[in-house]
Amino acid sequence: MPQLEQLYLFLALVFGLSARFLSWRQWPWARDAVSLAFLLSWDPWAALAGVASGLAAWALGRSRVQALVWAGIAAVAAIFVAERVMRRLDGADLMLAPAGFGFLVLRLVHYLVERGRGALPEHGPRAVVAWLLYFPTVLVGPVQRFDDWLRWERRKHWDEADAARGLRRILYGYFTVVVLSFWGAGTLLVQVLLWMPDTLALALTGALTLYLTFSGLSSVAIGLGLLAGQRIPENFDSPFTKSDLPSFWRSWHRTVSEWCRAYVYLPLLARTRSSRLAAVVGMAVFALWHELTLGYLAWGAWHALGLGLWYRLAPPPETPRFRPLGWALTMGWVLAGFWILRVWPRGDAWYAR
Amino acid sequence: MVRALTERWAQLGRHPQGRILQIALETLWYLALFLATWSLWDTPRTWFGYLSL
């Protein structure tokens, strides 16, 4: 997708320069114009979906009728599941939804739940749409909470140190995506790990490539935010150095796992008082959000089992002598999870048979 | 060891000539990262492979 890359880089330049040189009155217009220009030229449906769902979510939240807010959440969830099912109905991985759809759904549910709780500061519809379409994060996250985004947006602060850190993050991000993920994980490791069974070596290199590409793109997004003086939450925190599975999950695709914790795990725990059930359902939602397939369900179940075993059997995490063994067990468990995903037959959607 | 190296690096920056050396080394480092990225830019990869999410 070279065209997308070039467009993204060009608009990133416009985004950064307008944050530096425009006044705070003019800057939001430039920011929203960049977001819209990117989506309209890449996938007009994504722009339309963002604007329409943002306005609808704001209007539902403003009505202050709880039933309407819950109907909105149910509608978002139903549309999401329907799209995931239809995408695989004829066996092909059809791209029906607008770009960034999975992330849009997470943001909308978060917004509606928090609005229903009355936990968000006063704001207009434009803020919701601007947040949903926010150029740095619109396609691949991180998923930033609305109140967090609004706080940084209202701070209206630009300084050189932040911008320099932003540029550095963007450079490190692209270096990770282009050089490390291609050369490091893609080729060198395969050669080193030739002794491994093929599927295991592929699972390992696949996991590393996924991590390097995704964390690199997250770095680029965070760096772009810093160019405009805004903080975007971290998505990864060195997950492959963790010596227990719960820590791994707190450092891997953090913004989405925190979403699952806040909107699936904790509400279910509060209602059922069963941490086991809440963990299994939370992990299943996290897994099926990626893809509605048995392979992902098995992957989610594997990690739910791992977390359950960990809380039941593991020594206190501070036990220093346990750290090397804990690291090996954690990495083994994670790698086995990726192996399950890789060996599971593609197109296994049970509803498509 | 990392802490000792970080401390040495900070010490270097406090000296005027050391600061010049530091800036030169940092420039070289960022240039190397940029050139490496630039030279591999066209290699096949799954750019935005997460669009399907």
Side-chain angles (χ1 to χ4, degrees), chain A residues 2 20 32 42 47 56 68 72 106 132 159 162 166 203 212 246 264 272 276 281 305 313 327 342:
Chain A
R20 169 69 185 88
D32 297 346
W42 174 242
L68 276 179
L106 297 184
L132 286 176
D159 71 55
D162 269 353
L212 292 169
V264 184
T272 62
R276 204 174 297 169
V281 176
L305 176 71
L313 301 174
W327 178 81
R342 187 160 279 275

Side-chain angles (χ1 to χ4, degrees), chain A residues 1 4-5 9 42 84 87 95 102 139-140 168 171-172 174-175 178-179 182 210 213 217 290, chain B residues 29-34 36-38 40-53:
Chain A
M1 298 173 197
L4 179 65
E5 285 174 24
L9 283 178
W42 174 242
R84 287 295 195 255
R87 176 189 289 205
M95 193 67 211
L139 284 189
V140 290
R168 214 159 36 215
L171 180 59
Y172 281 132
Y174 275 126
F175 180 77
V178 175
V179 182
F182 167 73
L210 173 73
T213 312
L217 289 174
H290 291 85
Chain B
W29 168 244
Y30 292 125
L31 196 66
L33 289 185
F34 177 78
T37 309
W38 185 266
L40 282 174
W41 190 258
D42 289 329
T43 48
R45 56 181 176 267
T46 52
W47 270 102
F48 294 105
Y50 311 100
L51 284 178
S52 63
L53 288 174

Side-chain angles (χ1 to χ4, degrees), chain B residues 17-39:
Chain B
Q17 282 169 332
R19 183 70 194 128
I20 294 171
L21 180 67
Q22 221 179 33
I23 291 171
L25 287 174
E26 280 179 353
T27 309
L28 277 177
W29 168 244
Y30 292 125
L31 196 66
L33 289 185
F34 177 78
L35 288 176
T37 309
W38 185 266
S39 62

